[in-house]
Amino acid sequence: MSPRCHPSLYWNTHSCPTPSGLSPEKTEPLTVPRGASPCHIPTSRLQGGWHLGPRSILVALLGCHCNSTRSPASAALSTLTWCRHDDLKEMLDSNKDSLKLEAMKRIVAMIARGKNASDLFPAVVKNVACKNIEVKKLVYVYLVRYAEEQQDLALLSISTFQRGLKDPNQLIRASALRVLSSIRVPIIVPIMMLAIKEAASDMSPYVRKTAAHAIPKLYSLDSDQKDQLIEVIEKLLADKTTLVAGSVVMAFEEVCPERIDLIHKNYRKLCNLLIDVEEWGQVVIINMLTRYARTQFLSPNQNESLLEESAEKAFYGSEEEDTKDAKAEAASLAKRKPYVMDPDHRLLLRNTKPLLQSRNAAVVMAVAQLYFHLAPKAEVGVIAKALVRLLRSHSEVQYVVLQNVATMSIKRRGMFEPYLKSFYIRSTDPTQIKILKLEVLTNLANETNISTILREFQTYIRSMDKDFVAATIQAIGRCATNIGKVRDTCLNGLVQLLSNRDELVVAESVVVIKKLLQMQPAQHSEIIKHMAKLTDNIQVPMARASILWLIGEYCEHVPKIAPDVLRKMAKSFTNEEDIVKLQVINLAAKLYLTNSKQSKLLTQYVLNLAKYDQNYDIRDRARFIRQLIVPTEKSGALNKYAKKLFLAQKPAPILESSFKDRDHFQLGSLSHLLNAKAVGYQELPDWPDEAPDPSVRNVEVRGTPRCTWDILRLGHLAGVLGELQKVPHIPSLSDSEESGSSSSSGTSSSSSEEEDEEEEEEGSGEQSEEKEGEEEEEKRKKRKEKGGLRKASPGSAGR
Amino acid sequence: MISQLFILSSKGDRLVYRNFRGDGGDDVTDAFYRAVTSLPGDRAPVFMAREGRHFVHVRHGGLYVGATTTADTSPFVLVEFLNRLVTLLREHCGTLSEKSVSVNVALVHELLGEMVDFGYIQTTATEVLRSATHGEPETTKAFSLLDLRSVGLFGAETQQSKVAPGSVTNRPVLPPRGEQGGRSEVFVDVVERLTVVIAANGTPLNVDVQGEIRLKSFVPGGCELRMGLTEELSVGTEEQRGYGRLPLAAVAFHSSVDLEEFEQERVLRVTPGPGEELSSPEQTAELQGGGRCLRWAIPRCQGGAQLGAVFRVQLPPTPPLGLGPAALTFELPALTVSGLRLRWLRLSAPPGAPPGPPQRWVRHLTHSDSYVVRL
């Protein structure tokens, strides 16, 4: 791509300095009539306009600058947009691959920037049969992008792909199928269907995998094909290679997730293959199996659910609850009421466990949610360590992990208690993560660790990050409500914060203190008095409103101060925020009812002010309250009960986690993260009451056992590996491996494109094996990774 | 599954845009950029919902790398994929910057085509992609002052913008075709990050060391690389944790690492695929903080020496709540706090490698990720 295409670069070449004092926003807006020739615009104007002006015009201008000619000077003169791509067309028509490549690169760059390149369609499509792979691939990119818009012309390319589908080289077959299925032209649906069916029984697993990927594409193009596609899915599900397994489950999830019966026969195979499947495929399979298990097995915790309430506390309450104890407990429970886990259920749990070591966070989380939703309570603990490990990953991953940990820590507090320190906040954490960690710490707080946690919180309050400080104060409030023992300590700490210099800290404390005081107001009239004094200083509306409410509610505890506060507030009434005004009216009403002698006139005054307020809520409230509390001859029966209405005993607020109800979404799902149902979310079914027939999963064994097959394949491996290195265009990929291979003749370092092409075709007979070899090699690598420190598999000795 | 994938410059210009599933218009990137910029500071949440689709993005090198989805896709898959994509782009384009991406648009598209099919992730394995892509990377000018800001140490968000990237490593891992070799070099970094909280009375509350060994290889062709680690290493509880031993809580290795000799001799064998990142080896230790900061630069410190400094801070008579914990940021070159070291590094030269022994660069480094002393 020529660098001139880049707008910023282009402008830099003008290097026309804008006066520094004149910011672009202040320059005259670009006032160029649409039809005007761009050369009439002074460049300096354009520069200013680049930042603010009508972007569409500029983009159009730039488009013609960039693409018409090579020199920017002459570009400015060209105004004929319809012939702007002439040079590209010329290049595409030439018979030099390098020119074609250059043209295609520029076109792809245009697409990437969102510029319209659709008028080049005929010129580009001609090159779909180009021999040069690099050109060909870029043509594919273009074709997939524009085929939908130019359906008729796109059909011209179909025959090339149909030919490609018959190619002896599996790579070419696969790529033909991939592109063919990506062309969103309804008329070729039958062709696609045929191609997919054929590819599904291809001898190369790589082609079969591509066929699996093509299924959802066809389905989205024409959902009438569903039944036929399900047949293909059924066939591919029975495939025994790891390469296909992940892809076909993806197709299954998109096309027919409800056909859970298709999984029965393949369940055990999928469980066993899982560890060798490509990591992105693992995620999809694990999620699907989670759903499957929920419909086919019984809840492993059904016995405990009865005892849950009582057991929960004893179970996780103590500090260092050992998993052994937990297991013993579970075992004893199991004895009392026999529940035997289905061996298939056990198989799934056993085979997914090693994946907790995966390097891919998505896999770890998929297994974690599987354990959380499927494993017996005593076994769920194993995922805690893996999740804590993810906390050392990128901050985005941390963010998602903490969301899930927050939910889990409500239900299974004991699980994360040993890792309490991992959730301590680091000075370098971003605010979002700090707040999530606070959430987790609060959830983990219990009587034994609360003192440690409160000490942590105390240091967090000094942080410079105000949002975080506010969240910490709320967290303290939640700890205080949950753990009665420390309520007074927390309250005292919060009262101390009231003398903090920072108004936000004070305001947040007031709000939290208000909630805490509601639990036991009688003992705390001192604090209420202290807070009454604060009305002179605190300006944050929410805090003022909270104080007023508190004084009104407990005016009997502070009989001398309350009327005085009302007097002050009446004075400043007109300048208050709406939320404060409402509370002033409340306070007045309550005082009127309890202490009408002192506050009658004040109340009248406040109500009069409110009557003419600009906000209708306040006017409404004033009218309503006046009718209710001021006795007139017309006033109804309610008047008698006014005091009961206003000064009823109110239930104390429950401060609870915002993650409390998140667990009805499947963990690790987008819906859980958003706390709202995302499109396409599949509800995790409840455990069935009766176990469905387990025999549906039985498969009759036939043919050679898998392991033998493996060994046979490994025998070929040395030769196959050598073949693998023959992939064109990447010379010297791994020459050392090649030395062992017999057929290294064609690994030239800088052969021309055509030669490479030929080579590929020559070697295509063996290519299907190659691919399998590659897969095999991949498998071995995976195993090594999974095994951690386990010795490498024997295959590698051959290298 | 991914509906659209895009890379935007910091100004919101579209560098790469790919619509995988043909749903949604072309204006999603604008919607995204508006949403991101309307939020103050760096507060943009990783996930955002706009106009019926969900956006997820990561920021690297001043670029927004983002994806959209309209279905309930595992958020981990999205985030992990974007991070992998960033790593892969670094490997293929050398650096990740506005310029390197826009110069290599065709290559990026080719890569994306291999990685994602109809929104489903097919593979992110470097080896597979390497054999499937044919485009050549075009290098951008290796080093510019503007890029300095964006290049952190190993992608970590260091506060020290002084860490100049060694321009030697800012090049694509794949050598341009036809140009065999160049210098063959191997860079190995042993980096440890400290997360330490020290209580006001001096007792450590939480000490956590996270280390990694990073390898970036510019040796053309596959050669075997063996490195010997400190022999005292013991992993987990497999051996007794005696004095002088170096216990590690957990280890994880890249899939290309051959662990055959690890258990006995603490030797890792790698057939390096192209590796990660590196920055320049010259550092000074220094002490610095945020807004209210105190800086102590130590130009050179001899082994075994102990340096002390007393800082007296005069505070205005205000409540003590204003004085927060002290956060230390520092880097110690040529030292790992755990004691893990690379004993030796051997390369078996591949056939057809350029003459002369490959250059080997080894660095040890300790970086304070979060080092907090409570006051």
Side-chain angles (χ1 to χ4, degrees):
Chain A
M1 192 201 85
S2 130
R4 255 169 244 115
C5 292
H6 196 276
S8 64
L9 264 183
Y10 176 75
W11 291 118
N12 285 344
T13 56
H14 282 265
S15 68
C16 171
T18 6
S20 57
L22 193 66
S23 78
E25 281 75 15
K26 281 177 192 157
T27 52
E28 253 178 278
L30 197 63
T31 51
V32 187
R34 259 160 209 271
S37 159
C39 55
H40 295 151
I41 308 165
T43 323
S44 58
R45 272 270 197 88
L46 260 180
Q47 270 187 324
W50 175 247
H51 297 286
L52 81 154
R55 228 171 142 136
S56 54
I57 299 182
L58 271 171
V59 170
L61 289 173
L62 280 169
C64 93
H65 282 269
C66 298
N67 303 315
S68 54
T69 43
R70 310 209 125 205
S71 93
S74 60
L77 297 170
S78 160
T79 54
L80 305 170
T81 46
W82 49 266
C83 66
R84 58 185 175 165
H85 296 317
D86 270 1
D87 58 334
L88 284 175
K89 281 179 190 155
E90 218 167 88
M91 287 162 84
L92 285 170
D93 288 341
S94 80
N95 46 14
K96 268 195 191 151
D97 278 350
S98 59
L99 278 179
K100 283 184 181 176
L101 186 61
E102 174 65 24
M104 281 317 298
K105 279 187 175 175
R106 282 169 61 182
I107 293 170
V108 168
M110 281 163 64
I111 298 176
R113 293 234 176 68
K115 288 175 203 153
N116 189 6
S118 58
D119 53 340
L120 285 163
F121 201 95
V124 174
V125 154
K126 267 186 276 181
N127 288 299
V128 74
C130 177
K131 278 267 190 286
N132 183 323
I133 291 200
E134 213 176 332
V135 174
K136 201 186 229 170
K137 283 193 134 183
L138 294 177
V139 172
Y140 289 171
V141 170
Y142 181 92
L143 195 61
V144 172
R145 167 68 182 79
Y146 284 112
E148 205 169 356
E149 293 174 20
Q150 314 228 0
Q151 308 211 346
D152 293 342
L153 285 169
L155 293 179
L156 296 176
S157 64
I158 301 299
S159 62
T160 318
F161 296 120
Q162 281 179 306
R163 225 177 304 131
L165 288 170
K166 300 268 181 280
D167 198 280
N169 181 339
Q170 56 158 352
L171 293 174
I172 291 179
R173 288 202 300 278
S175 103
L177 179 60
R178 190 161 74 205
V179 182
L180 179 69
S181 56
S182 299
I183 296 175
R184 297 179 58 82
V185 178
I187 205 166
I188 62 162
V189 164
I191 301 178
M192 273 164 76
M193 192 69 227
L194 206 68
I196 290 174
K197 275 184 178 164
E198 247 170 56
S201 40
D202 198 285
M203 60 183 279
S204 150
Y206 185 64
V207 177
R208 296 203 294 275
K209 174 195 160 92
T210 313
H213 273 291
I215 292 170
K217 295 187 214 173
L218 180 52
Y219 179 64
S220 80
L221 188 61
D222 181 4
S223 53
D224 293 343
Q225 307 291 323
K226 186 170 176 176
D227 293 338
Q228 290 194 60
L229 286 175
I230 290 176
E231 278 171 36
V232 182
I233 289 176
E234 193 172 0
K235 183 172 177 189
L236 286 173
L237 273 173
D239 205 295
K240 285 195 171 55
T241 48
T242 52
L243 205 57
V244 182
S247 304
V248 70
V249 174
M250 287 179 198
F252 171 82
E253 288 284 75
E254 178 146 352
V255 177
C256 53
E258 73 283 353
R259 287 292 304 274
I260 209 90
D261 56 294
L262 295 179
I263 303 298
H264 290 320
K265 292 275 178 231
N266 302 300
Y267 173 82
R268 287 175 198 163
K269 184 199 71 192
L270 283 175
C271 284
N272 288 322
L273 285 183
L274 192 58
I275 198 152
D276 295 328
V277 173
E278 207 265 338
E279 53 190 13
W280 306 105
Q282 286 174 346
V283 179
V284 183
I285 296 179
I286 292 170
N287 280 327
M288 188 274 290
L289 289 178
T290 309
R291 228 176 59 243
Y292 179 85
R294 273 290 190 122
T295 57
Q296 301 299 320
F297 306 128
L298 292 177
S299 165
N301 298 318
Q302 52 180 331
N303 295 323
E304 285 146 70
S305 57
L306 296 171
L307 299 160
E308 201 173 30
E309 302 299 277
S310 55
E312 179 85 64
K313 270 244 152 79
F315 231 62
Y316 300 115
S318 62
E319 192 181 25
E320 300 256 314
E321 189 66 55
D322 225 11
T323 39
K324 269 184 196 164
D325 291 352
K327 269 182 190 155
E329 186 101 25
S332 68
L333 277 169
K335 260 179 212 162
R336 257 174 277 155
K337 287 173 195 169
Y339 158 76
V340 184
M341 186 185 275
D342 190 309
D344 286 329
H345 190 171
R346 177 52 67 198
L347 175 77
L348 178 61
L349 292 177
R350 198 175 52 228
N351 282 4
T352 48
K353 197 171 171 184
L355 294 180
L356 285 172
Q357 306 296 322
S358 172
R359 282 173 65 239
N360 188 324
V363 177
V364 177
M365 187 59 219
V367 178
Q369 64 85 24
L370 181 134
Y371 260 74
F372 187 79
H373 290 299
L374 299 182
K377 269 201 175 138
E379 292 172 39
V380 177
V382 297
I383 62 175
K385 194 177 177 191
L387 290 178
V388 169
R389 185 166 61 86
L390 291 185
L391 289 181
R392 303 199 178 114
S393 191
H394 292 100
S395 70
E396 297 90 11
V397 176
Q398 285 185 40
Y399 172 74
V400 195
V401 171
L402 283 168
Q403 297 253 1
N404 286 288
V405 171
T407 307
M408 288 189 210
S409 60
I410 291 175
K411 277 266 150 118
R412 309 270 162 90
R413 186 200 289 159
M415 202 163 99
F416 292 100
E417 258 175 50
Y419 304 99
L420 188 70
K421 281 185 177 173
S422 306
F423 300 103
Y424 280 7
I425 282 135
R426 298 179 181 187
S427 53
T428 44
D429 286 334
T431 311
Q432 300 169 22
I433 287 180
K434 283 180 184 164
I435 289 173
L436 282 170
K437 280 185 173 174
L438 264 185
E439 178 73 39
V440 175
L441 285 175
T442 316
N443 290 343
L444 294 182
N446 61 19
E447 300 217 337
T448 44
N449 60 20
I450 184 69
S451 54
T452 328
I453 290 180
L454 280 182
R455 224 177 304 134
E456 275 293 307
F457 284 178
Q458 266 170 14
T459 58
Y460 297 163
I461 287 169
R462 297 174 190 169
S463 162
M464 309 268 274
D465 183 344
K466 290 301 157 219
D467 292 343
F468 171 51
V469 173
T472 310
I473 293 171
Q474 282 169 6
I476 294 176
R478 261 182 57 204
C479 287
T481 47
N482 296 343
I483 301 164
K485 201 178 80 178
V486 292
R487 197 167 297 152
D488 287 341
T489 325
C490 290
L491 204 51
N492 286 337
L494 289 171
V495 170
Q496 273 176 27
L497 285 181
L498 291 178
S499 48
N500 195 295
R501 273 179 307 169
D502 196 305
E503 194 175 50
L504 274 172
V505 173
V506 179
E508 202 64 45
S509 312
V510 167
V511 176
V512 174
I513 290 175
K514 182 206 113 185
K515 290 179 181 162
L516 287 181
L517 285 187
Q518 252 183 290
M519 295 179 157
Q520 41 198 164
Q523 308 147 19
H524 298 299
S525 55
E526 277 306 311
I527 297 178
I528 297 173
K529 273 180 208 161
H530 184 88
M531 290 174 75
K533 283 182 204 154
L534 286 174
T535 47
D536 294 340
N537 301 321
I538 295 189
Q539 295 304 322
V540 180
M542 188 62 208
R544 286 177 83 85
S546 295
I547 295 175
L548 291 175
W549 183 88
L550 207 58
I551 294 171
E553 190 67 20
Y554 306 115
C555 53
E556 279 161 350
H557 297 292
V558 281
K560 292 199 175 130
I561 291 176
D564 197 49
V565 172
L566 181 62
R567 181 183 62 81
K568 281 186 187 165
M569 295 314 293
K571 238 183 187 173
S572 60
F573 185 85
T574 45
N575 300 325
E576 299 290 349
E577 290 280 328
D578 291 346
I579 173 178
V580 183
K581 282 178 182 169
L582 286 174
Q583 290 307 328
V584 176
I585 301 174
N586 257 347
L587 174 65
K590 285 171 184 170
L591 280 177
Y592 184 89
L593 291 171
T594 53
N595 185 2
S596 66
K597 209 177 102 196
Q598 272 185 303
S599 53
K600 190 171 179 181
L601 286 172
L602 271 172
T603 308
Q604 294 282 6
Y605 176 68
V606 168
L607 289 176
N608 281 336
L609 283 177
K611 191 175 173 184
Y612 299 106
D613 199 89
Q614 287 187 334
N615 185 308
Y616 58 78
D617 274 343
I618 293 170
R619 295 198 301 271
D620 266 6
R621 180 72 64 90
R623 194 173 305 129
F624 164 71
I625 282 178
R626 191 190 291 274
Q627 289 302 317
L628 202 58
I629 61 172
V630 184
T632 56
E633 62 277 14
K634 274 191 286 177
S635 61
L638 276 178
N639 198 337
K640 273 183 278 180
Y641 302 107
K643 191 165 180 179
K644 274 193 179 164
L645 284 172
F646 275 102
L647 291 164
Q649 194 73 36
K650 295 173 185 73
I654 304 161
L655 301 178
E656 57 186 18
S657 166
S658 55
F659 285 84
K660 186 147 194 307
D661 295 321
R662 287 241 186 141
D663 62 330
H664 61 260
F665 290 116
Q666 186 173 0
L667 285 177
S669 68
L670 189 59
S671 303
H672 171 267
L673 186 87
L674 302 165
N675 200 15
K677 208 167 185 171
V679 184
Y681 173 70
Q682 293 184 35
E683 202 114 355
L684 196 62
D686 254 338
W687 296 103
D689 294 331
E690 294 283 315
D693 181 17
S695 66
V696 289
R697 285 184 290 276
N698 291 344
V699 201
E700 66 275 31
V701 185
R702 60 191 160 82
T704 11
R706 219 178 96 78
C707 52
T708 327
W709 183 80
D710 269 358
I711 291 163
L712 280 173
R713 279 264 154 279
L714 285 174
H716 286 293
L717 209 65
V720 164
L721 270 180
E723 279 296 308
L724 243 186
Q725 308 312 325
K726 279 180 63 180
V727 180
H729 305 297
I730 314 280
S732 64
L733 182 63
S734 44
D735 297 26
S736 69
E737 284 183 345
E738 201 153 337
S739 53
S741 82
S742 51
S743 60
S744 56
S745 58
T747 39
S748 60
S749 49
S750 55
S751 55
S752 78
E753 323 293 4
E754 282 195 359
E755 264 175 17
D756 281 337
E757 188 66 22
E758 275 170 21
E759 252 168 50
E760 198 172 283
E761 277 169 12
E762 272 170 22
S764 58
E766 294 135 324
Q767 289 241 352
S768 64
E769 282 188 1
E770 270 173 44
K771 208 64 208 186
E772 280 175 12
E774 185 178 65
E775 189 201 337
E776 210 58 53
E777 187 189 35
E778 230 177 70
K779 240 188 260 174
R780 275 192 296 113
K781 279 181 188 159
K782 281 272 163 52
R783 261 187 225 131
K784 262 181 270 169
E785 189 187 324
K786 300 292 145 42
L789 297 176
R790 211 177 51 195
K791 297 250 175 186
S793 64
S796 62
R799 287 162 66 182
Chain B
M1 74 199 93
I2 298 165
S3 290
Q4 284 117 356
L5 195 134
F6 52 84
I7 301 177
L8 301 187
S9 75
S10 53
K11 296 195 294 292
D13 295 325
R14 188 147 76 179
L15 301 177
V16 172
Y17 173 78
R18 197 76 189 256
N19 192 343
F20 289 112
R21 292 177 69 88
D23 56 356
D26 276 0
D27 55 344
V28 288
T29 54
D30 295 338
F32 167 79
Y33 190 68
R34 272 200 304 278
V36 165
T37 44
S38 66
L39 291 160
D42 255 358
R43 294 285 170 80
V46 183
F47 282 83
M48 289 185 292
R50 286 284 181 289
E51 293 160 25
R53 59 186 67 238
H54 305 289
F55 290 93
V56 51
H57 79 282
V58 296
R59 274 199 86 169
H60 278 278
L63 301 179
Y64 296 97
V65 182
T68 71
T69 181
T70 47
D72 193 301
T73 317
S74 161
F76 285 90
V77 169
L78 299 171
V79 168
E80 186 79 17
F81 173 72
L82 291 181
N83 281 326
R84 290 280 173 94
L85 177 66
V86 167
T87 316
L88 283 166
L89 291 181
R90 278 219 184 97
E91 280 174 10
H92 282 83
C93 307
T95 49
L96 185 66
S97 65
E98 188 175 338
K99 200 172 165 194
S100 68
V101 171
S102 58
V103 167
N104 287 305
V105 162
L107 178 66
V108 174
H109 267 271
E110 200 184 343
L111 275 173
L112 284 177
E114 294 297 329
M115 287 159 78
V116 185
D117 191 8
F118 199 56
Y120 290 106
I121 302 163
Q122 301 201 91
T123 182
T124 49
T126 318
E127 312 90 70
V128 179
L129 289 173
R130 229 174 0 150
S131 56
T133 51
H134 305 280
E136 279 177 50
E138 285 182 40
T139 44
T140 52
K141 214 183 286 168
F143 180 68
S144 89
L145 270 177
L146 284 173
D147 286 339
L148 236 180
R149 164 186 53 80
S150 61
V151 181
L153 175 69
F154 301 100
E157 290 162 354
T158 50
Q159 288 92 336
Q160 305 187 348
S161 51
K162 283 187 197 60
V163 185
S167 49
V168 274
T169 55
N170 285 342
R171 53 187 151 118
V173 176
L174 305 177
R177 208 180 329 147
E179 187 190 311
Q180 181 71 284
R183 292 244 303 287
S184 59
E185 290 173 300
V186 173
F187 297 83
V188 181
D189 275 13
V190 182
V191 186
E192 292 192 341
R193 298 203 184 91
L194 296 175
T195 306
V196 179
V197 182
I198 297 175
N201 61 6
T203 49
L205 288 176
N206 185 19
V207 180
D208 182 21
V209 182
Q210 187 200 351
E212 61 185 332
I213 301 175
R214 292 217 160 189
L215 175 73
K216 184 158 186 167
S217 156
F218 288 103
V219 182
C223 67
E224 193 185 71
L225 193 143
R226 302 172 75 224
M227 39 180 136
L229 302 181
T230 319
E231 277 169 336
E232 285 78 26
L233 208 65
S234 69
V235 177
T237 49
E238 67 173 29
E239 284 162 66
Q240 284 171 344
R241 295 187 171 190
Y243 179 76
R245 298 215 70 86
L246 174 56
L248 298 184
V251 284
F253 292 103
H254 189 267
S255 54
S256 67
V257 179
D258 188 344
L259 297 172
E260 214 166 324
E261 298 171 61
F262 183 70
E263 224 151 316
Q264 290 306 315
E265 322 210 347
R266 299 299 174 210
V267 173
L268 298 177
R269 285 209 314 209
V270 195
T271 309
E276 313 282 357
E277 279 246 321
L278 191 85
S279 60
S280 101
E282 277 153 55
Q283 307 275 329
T284 56
E286 58 185 48
L287 179 73
Q288 67 172 33
R292 320 177 208 172
C293 83
L294 198 64
R295 202 184 120 135
W296 181 24
I298 306 164
R300 179 171 292 169
C301 179
Q302 274 208 318
Q306 195 172 15
L307 292 180
V310 179
F311 301 102
R312 187 163 289 150
V313 185
Q314 294 280 339
L315 288 169
T318 44
L321 280 172
L323 194 64
L328 275 66
T329 313
F330 55 84
E331 262 169 1
L332 306 174
L335 176 84
T336 51
V337 282
S338 69
L340 187 140
R341 298 192 75 81
L342 215 61
R343 280 182 297 146
W344 44 263
L345 179 68
R346 272 174 220 149
L347 268 164
S348 64
Q359 298 264 9
R360 291 163 297 174
W361 305 89
V362 180
R363 232 160 40 111
H364 294 86
L365 181 72
T366 298
H367 173 70
S368 65
D369 201 18
S370 166
Y371 198 101
V372 176
V373 185
R374 304 258 162 93
L375 299 175

